[in-house]
Amino acid sequence: MKLPVQIVLGVALTALFLGAALLSFLWTPYDVEVLTIADRLTAPNANYWLGTDHFGRDTLSMLMVGARTSIAVAVVAVGIGILVGVPLGLTAAANRGGWLDELIMRTNDLIFAFPSLVIAILITAVFGPSAVNAILAIGIFNIPVFARVTRGGALTIWTLDYIMAARVSGKKGARISLEHILPNIANLLIVQGTIQFSLGILAEAGLSYVGLGAQPPTPSWGRMLADAQTMIYTTPRLAILPGISIIMMVLGLNLMGDGLRDILDPRIRRARE
Amino acid sequence: MIRLENLCLSIHGDQILKDINLDIQPGKVTGLVGESGSGKSMTALAIMQLLPRGSKTQGQVILDGGDMLSTSERDMCAIRGNRIGMIFQEPMTALNPVKSIGDQVMETLLIHTDKSASEARIIAAEKLDRVGLPEDEFPLSRFPHELSGGQRQRVCIAMAIALHPELLIADEPTTALDVTTQAQILDLLKDLIKEEGMSLLLITHDLAVVSGLADHVAVMQKGQIVEQGPTEALFRNMHHPYTRQLFEASSHQPERADKAMPDPILEVRDVMREYTMARTSLFGAPPKFRAVNGVSFTLNHGESLGLVGESGCGKSTLTRAILGLEPLQGGVIRAFGQHVGPGFPNALKSGIQVVFQDPYSSFNPRWRIDRLVAEPFHLMSERPTDWRDQVTSVLHDVGIPADALSRYIHEFSGGQRQRIAIARALILRPELIILDEAVSALDVSIRAQILDLLAGLQKEYGLAYLFISHDLSVVRSVTDRVLVMRAGEIVEQGETEQVFTAPRHAYTKSLINATPVIPSAWKEPPNAKTSLV
C-alpha cells in the first residue's frame, strides 16, 4: 500500500523529536545545568550549533531536554486520560441509558465545562508549581475526552449481533467490554491519543510559559520561550527555535493522527480509493 | 431507449462486466436478475456513469444514437435525474435526514429546470400525491425519520419521477421492505410506467418479483448476461443451466425428517414485554409501548416452528425474551421445565442457541474462527480440554474445512459465515436453535444450501428450530407449524400447510396474497404439456 505524504511527514517529524528526547538521556552536546557565563549569547557556530542563551547554556541541548520534558508530560497526561477515561466510557456504554451512564457522562460534562488553564492554576496554587502538577492538570482534562470517545465508539458496537451472541454465551458487561468492545474501538483511541498528545505538548508549553509547569533548572520549551521574551528584539533566535520546535512537534503529531485515522478507518480508506 | 453494446467494465484491472448486450425498450420493464456480485448494480452504475474510481469501460451505452461512455461529466449531470432517474435498495439511507421530503423532491426540479421555488413546490406536492403521499396527510415539511420504510421508498420514487425521466432504474427497490409494502410499491411502479410511458430497469435477486412485473428478463452471472428474452418464454424454457439453478433454488424444498415428539421443551405463556417511552409531559407516567402482548405457544422436541411477521411486529423482542436477555412484564417462559430469567442455570442456557440474520455483524472481526466458535463454552464452568477437537468437529458438520480455525472472519463469504454462525450455535449440542432471519440476507442458491444443512442437522441431532422470518415461502418449506405475529400478538397459528392453504385470519391472507409468486403455469416445461396430451 502506498502511504500518503502527510503520514510520512508526520511520522518523520514525530520520530525526529522523539529521537532527540531519547538521545538526551544518554548524551547532549553540553550539560544544560552548567552555566558558562563567558559564552553567553553566542551566535550559532561550530561549537554551539544553535548558539547559547543569556546564561551560556547550549540551545540545542536545551531543546533536546525540553523535548523530553514535553513528551514526558504529554505521555503521562494521555496515559491518565486513557487509563481512567476508557474504563469510564466502557462502563457508561455497558450501562447505556442507566443511572451509572448518566452519572459518568454528566460528571464528564462538568469537567468539560471548566476552563482547563484555570484549573491548572488552581492546582499549582494549592500544590505549588511543578512538572508533576502540570501532568495532573493536563491529565484530568484528558479523562472526559477519552470517556466520551470510548462511549461513542462502544455504543455502535453494542448494537451488533456478535455482542448478542456473547450475551447468549452468558458473558457479562465487563467481559464483553474487554473482549469485544475494546479491540474494536482501539483505532479510535489511537487516533484520539495522538491528538490529545499534541494538545498535551501545547498545554505543557503554555503552563511552563506562565511559570506553572516545569521549574528551573529543568529545561522546557515553554520556559525557554518565557526566558527569551525580554530578548526578543536583540536575540530573536532564542524565542524562534523553541517556538518552531513546538509547532513542528504538534504539526507532526496531528499529521500522524489524521493519517492513522485514514488508514485505520475502512470507510475513509474506501472513499479515498 | 438505451442500448448496451458489448459493455465491458474492469475496476483496478478486475473484470467486472463482460460483453453486456441489453436493449432497454421504451415503455417496457426490463428485469435484470442475478445473485450478489453478478454485476447487476454495476451495469446500472455504468449506464449512469457513476462508477467507482479506477473503472475502465469498453463498448457502448447508446442513448439517442450517442455513446454515453464518451459523454462529458457536465453533460451526464444534465441526463442524470432528468432523463434517467434512479431508486435504491435502502430507503433508510437514500434520503438526506436533515432535509424535508418536499425539499428533496424539489431539488431535482430546481437543478434541472429554471422553475421558481414556488412552482417546484407545487410539482413536488403533485408528485408526492401521485406516489401515495397526499399533502394533507404527509405535508412537504415532513422529515424522512417521520416516515416508514415504504413511505420513504415512495419519496425516493417521487424524486426519481419528478422530471418524467424516460428511464427509471430501480436497484432492488423492495428488498428492504416487508411483503405487503413490497406489493404496494411494485403496484405503484407498474402504474407509473403505464401512465408516464417510462421504461423501467428493474434490478433484483427475486425471480418472483421479476415474473410479475417485467416484459423482458436478463439473467446475469459473474458479470455476464447468460440468458435473456421475453419474461414468459424465458421462464418456460430456461435454456441456461444457471437460470434453472436459480429457479430451483428459489423454490427449494429441503428434505426433512419428521422427528417431532410431543415433548415440550419451550413453553411461552401470556408473555408481555413493555418498553417505557420518553416522557411526553413533566408530570404523569411516561407512555409505554407494548412490543409483545400476551403471546403463548409451545415448542416440542425436534420440531420446526415458524414465526412469521413483518418488521416491528415484536419478533426480535420475543427472541431476546426467550434467550433470557429481556425482562418480562407479564407471563412466563419455561424452557426444559425451568423459568427463563435471572436464575436460569447456565447448563440449561446452553440448550438454547441462536443464529442471527446478518452474517457480517455476527462476528467480532478481530477474533479467529476457533475462538469465535468456542465462545459459548463460556457457559460451562470450564472449557473442556478437547475444545479444539470439538470446534473442528462442528465446523466439519457445517461443511467448513478445519484449516479455517486460525483464519479471520473477513476471509469468508456470507454463506460461509452463516455456516460458521450455525457451528457456533451447535458447539454446545443444544436442543433448540433460534434462527432469527438466519437465511434472509443470503442469495437464493446459498440459502438453499443452508436450508439443506439445517434440515440435515435436525435429522442428525434431533434439533428443534424456532424459525423466525418475514419470508413466507421459506417458512412454508421448512416448518411443521407456524405462528403469525402482528403488532405484538399471535393472530393465527397452526400446521404450516393448513395455515398457508386455508388462512383464517385476514392478516395472514393479506401476507400470503402479497407474496410475489411465479405463475404456476410457467413452471411446466412446454414439452411436458405436450406429452400429457
Side-chain angles (χ1 to χ4, degrees):
Chain A
M1 192 175 76
K2 199 171 142 280
L3 284 172
V5 183
Q6 53 158 334
I7 190 165
V8 174
L9 192 64
V11 170
L13 280 172
T14 311
L16 174 73
F17 285 102
L18 204 63
L22 289 175
L23 184 62
S24 75
F25 281 105
L26 301 173
W27 173 83
T28 49
Y30 294 87
D31 188 339
V32 292
E33 296 189 13
V34 175
L35 312 182
T36 320
I37 305 295
D39 291 338
R40 61 195 287 267
L41 297 174
T42 312
N45 61 28
N47 286 334
Y48 300 103
W49 289 0
L50 296 177
T52 61
D53 70 358
H54 55 296
F55 291 124
R57 291 177 294 187
D58 176 44
T59 305
L60 178 60
S61 306
M62 297 269 287
L63 287 177
M64 285 169 69
V65 182
R68 188 211 292 173
T69 314
S70 290
I71 291 174
V73 169
V75 164
V76 181
V78 169
I80 292 175
I82 289 180
L83 286 180
V84 183
V86 171
L88 282 176
L90 288 174
T91 311
N95 297 287
R96 60 210 168 281
W99 63 268
L100 199 55
D101 180 21
E102 286 294 318
L103 182 73
I104 291 171
M105 294 324 287
R106 297 299 79 79
T107 313
N108 258 342
D109 293 345
L110 203 68
I111 298 178
F112 260 130
F114 278 105
S116 53
L117 198 63
V118 176
I119 295 294
I121 292 171
L122 183 76
I123 289 177
T124 45
V126 176
F127 300 105
S130 74
V132 174
N133 289 338
I135 288 174
L136 271 181
I138 301 166
I140 287 173
F141 286 96
N142 275 332
I143 294 174
V145 174
F146 280 102
R148 206 171 259 194
V149 168
T150 304
R151 180 176 178 269
L155 282 183
T156 55
I157 310 278
W158 267 102
T159 61
L160 297 178
D161 285 345
Y162 61 81
I163 301 299
M164 187 71 91
R167 292 178 66 197
V168 173
S169 300
K171 293 189 175 172
K172 299 273 189 307
R175 183 178 280 271
I176 291 175
S177 295
L178 280 181
E179 290 186 351
H180 289 293
I181 310 280
L182 197 54
N184 283 296
I185 57 168
N187 53 358
L188 278 179
L189 297 178
I190 289 169
V191 172
Q192 193 64 41
T194 60
I195 293 168
Q196 292 310 116
F197 196 89
S198 68
L199 290 177
I201 300 241
L202 278 179
E204 190 276 334
L207 287 178
S208 297
Y209 178 80
V210 295
L212 300 175
Q215 295 301 301
T218 313
S220 98
W221 291 347
R223 187 85 230 155
M224 289 169 77
L225 272 180
D227 287 345
Q229 195 170 302
T230 50
M231 293 171 280
I232 193 131
Y233 291 113
T234 53
T235 328
R237 135 182 79 80
L238 286 181
I240 289 171
L241 287 170
I244 287 181
S245 299
I246 294 172
I247 293 172
M248 286 299 148
M249 176 91 220
V250 171
L251 180 71
L253 284 166
N254 279 338
L255 287 176
M256 192 168 81
D258 274 0
L260 278 178
R261 190 194 54 210
D262 289 3
I263 288 177
L264 295 174
D265 188 334
R267 278 171 307 175
I268 298 177
R269 186 167 57 207
R270 222 176 298 136
R272 216 182 40 221
E273 274 166 5
Chain B
M1 192 240 146
I2 284 187
R3 201 166 73 243
L4 310 184
E5 280 187 5
N6 298 321
L7 177 68
C8 296
L9 165 69
S10 63
I11 300 177
H12 294 298
D14 294 332
Q15 185 96 32
I16 306 292
L17 298 176
K18 200 168 164 233
D19 293 326
I20 302 288
N21 285 296
L22 186 65
D23 212 345
I24 299 173
Q25 298 284 342
K28 297 270 178 182
V29 180
T30 309
L32 201 51
V33 190
E35 297 189 293
S36 51
S38 62
K40 334 180 275 280
S41 296
M42 279 300 165
T43 308
L45 294 179
I47 294 172
M48 293 291 260
Q49 283 297 293
L50 289 173
L51 291 164
R53 270 185 225 175
S55 306
K56 275 206 183 75
T57 45
Q58 281 175 348
Q60 288 182 310
V61 177
I62 298 168
L63 171 74
D64 297 340
D67 182 8
M68 295 223 289
L69 296 184
S70 51
T71 308
S72 70
E73 177 64 19
R74 176 187 288 268
D75 293 337
M76 276 312 299
C77 283
I79 293 175
R80 286 181 208 134
N82 189 2
R83 300 190 58 188
I84 307 177
M86 192 157 179
I87 45 182
F88 301 91
Q89 172 170 356
E90 193 45 82
M92 296 295 164
T93 53
L95 293 171
N96 182 344
V98 298
K99 286 175 83 177
S100 73
I101 57 170
D103 285 346
Q104 299 197 47
V105 179
M106 280 164 62
E107 195 178 28
T108 352
L109 295 158
L110 294 175
I111 289 173
H112 289 288
T113 62
D114 41 16
K115 290 202 164 47
S116 69
S118 55
E119 287 171 313
R121 182 168 295 278
I122 294 167
I123 299 177
E126 270 170 27
K127 294 294 170 189
L128 283 169
D129 184 57
R130 177 62 201 89
V131 298
L133 301 173
E135 201 179 349
D136 42 347
E137 276 176 70
F138 300 94
L140 298 188
S141 55
R142 283 284 176 91
F143 284 91
H145 72 266
E146 299 172 295
L147 305 176
S148 70
Q151 288 162 351
R152 288 183 213 198
Q153 196 61 297
R154 286 171 192 271
V155 177
C156 293
I157 295 174
M159 284 167 72
I161 61 161
L163 285 164
H164 302 282
E166 292 144 77
L167 172 65
L168 183 62
I169 300 178
D171 190 355
E172 302 270 9
T174 57
T175 307
L177 304 174
D178 284 322
V179 268
T180 46
T181 321
Q182 161 169 295
Q184 292 161 7
I185 296 288
L186 291 177
D187 281 344
L188 173 64
L189 286 173
K190 215 183 281 183
D191 292 348
L192 283 173
I193 294 150
K194 215 179 288 166
E195 281 170 33
E196 313 244 339
M198 281 187 299
S199 318
L200 174 68
L201 178 61
L202 179 68
I203 298 172
T204 178
H205 68 282
D206 192 335
L207 285 171
V209 167
V210 171
S211 73
L213 207 60
D215 302 297
H216 182 94
V217 175
V219 181
M220 281 190 85
Q221 183 195 20
K222 293 180 190 152
Q224 284 178 294
I225 292 183
V226 294
E227 184 170 4
Q228 60 177 308
T231 309
E232 189 177 343
L234 183 124
F235 274 95
R236 283 188 189 274
N237 298 320
M238 292 201 275
H239 289 298
H240 197 276
Y242 181 71
T243 315
R244 274 200 295 279
Q245 188 193 327
L246 207 56
F247 178 76
E248 276 156 19
S250 69
S251 54
H252 183 72
Q253 177 76 49
E255 250 181 70
R256 299 187 48 239
D258 187 17
K259 276 204 172 175
M261 289 179 254
D263 165 24
I265 53 173
L266 178 71
E267 287 171 88
V268 176
R269 286 281 159 271
D270 305 318
V271 162
M272 192 172 80
R273 172 74 176 112
E274 279 178 340
Y275 290 103
T276 308
M277 317 265 284
R279 278 173 193 277
T280 46
S281 67
L282 191 53
F283 303 102
K288 296 203 162 146
F289 173 70
R290 198 167 281 192
V292 176
N293 186 13
V295 167
S296 301
F297 65 88
T298 310
L299 175 57
N300 290 327
H301 185 90
E303 184 184 35
S304 289
L305 179 64
L307 177 59
V308 176
E310 296 188 299
S311 51
C313 73
K315 294 178 303 207
S316 302
T317 308
L318 184 60
T319 315
R320 286 197 298 272
I322 293 170
L323 291 167
L325 302 177
E326 297 247 347
L328 298 178
Q329 277 69 47
V332 273
I333 298 176
R334 297 169 74 85
F336 315 112
Q338 288 241 27
H339 271 271
V340 173
F344 195 60
N346 277 355
L348 292 183
K349 267 188 198 163
S350 61
I352 307 178
Q353 292 293 314
V354 61
V355 177
F356 300 103
Q357 170 172 10
D358 184 358
Y360 291 89
S361 71
S362 291
F363 300 97
N364 184 342
R366 293 178 192 271
W367 281 17
R368 294 177 197 272
I369 303 302
D370 51 357
R371 196 173 173 200
L372 287 170
V373 175
E375 188 169 34
F377 280 132
H378 185 75
L379 284 171
M380 302 175 125
S381 48
E382 64 188 85
R383 194 155 69 174
T385 46
D386 66 336
W387 68 275
R388 281 186 152 271
D389 297 334
Q390 293 195 30
V391 170
T392 315
S393 116
V394 279
L395 284 177
H396 175 78
D397 280 351
V398 298
I400 296 286
D403 64 3
L405 281 179
S406 56
R407 287 157 72 188
Y408 289 98
I409 197 69
H410 69 258
E411 299 173 53
F412 296 89
S413 69
Q416 287 173 320
R417 287 177 197 215
Q418 215 57 335
R419 285 171 187 271
I420 296 169
I422 294 170
R424 175 170 64 188
L426 270 181
I427 188 99
L428 293 177
R429 299 288 167 216
E431 291 190 53
L432 167 62
I433 296 185
I434 299 178
L435 301 161
D436 189 356
E437 302 272 8
V439 297
S440 305
L442 303 174
D443 278 323
V444 278
S445 57
I446 307 292
R447 187 176 75 192
Q449 290 167 13
I450 297 287
L451 290 176
D452 280 340
L453 172 69
L454 288 170
L457 292 170
Q458 183 168 45
K459 210 185 286 180
E460 200 172 335
Y461 298 115
L463 292 168
Y465 291 138
L466 178 59
F467 197 98
I468 298 169
S469 182
H470 69 282
D471 187 331
L472 278 81
S473 57
V474 172
V475 169
R476 185 172 190 173
S477 66
V478 298
T479 61
D480 305 312
R481 276 193 307 135
V482 68
L483 312 168
V484 181
M485 194 164 176
R486 183 197 191 182
E489 292 176 31
I490 305 266
V491 294
E492 180 163 1
Q493 57 177 309
E495 301 287 317
T496 304
E497 262 326 294
Q498 203 178 343
V499 171
F500 276 87
T501 45
R504 289 191 308 273
H505 195 276
Y507 180 67
T508 318
K509 283 180 198 158
S510 72
L511 276 183
I512 291 171
N513 289 336
T515 308
V517 283
I518 301 168
S520 54
W522 294 6
K523 292 180 183 172
E524 298 155 18
N527 49 358
K529 240 185 217 167
T530 46
S531 65
L532 277 174
V533 176

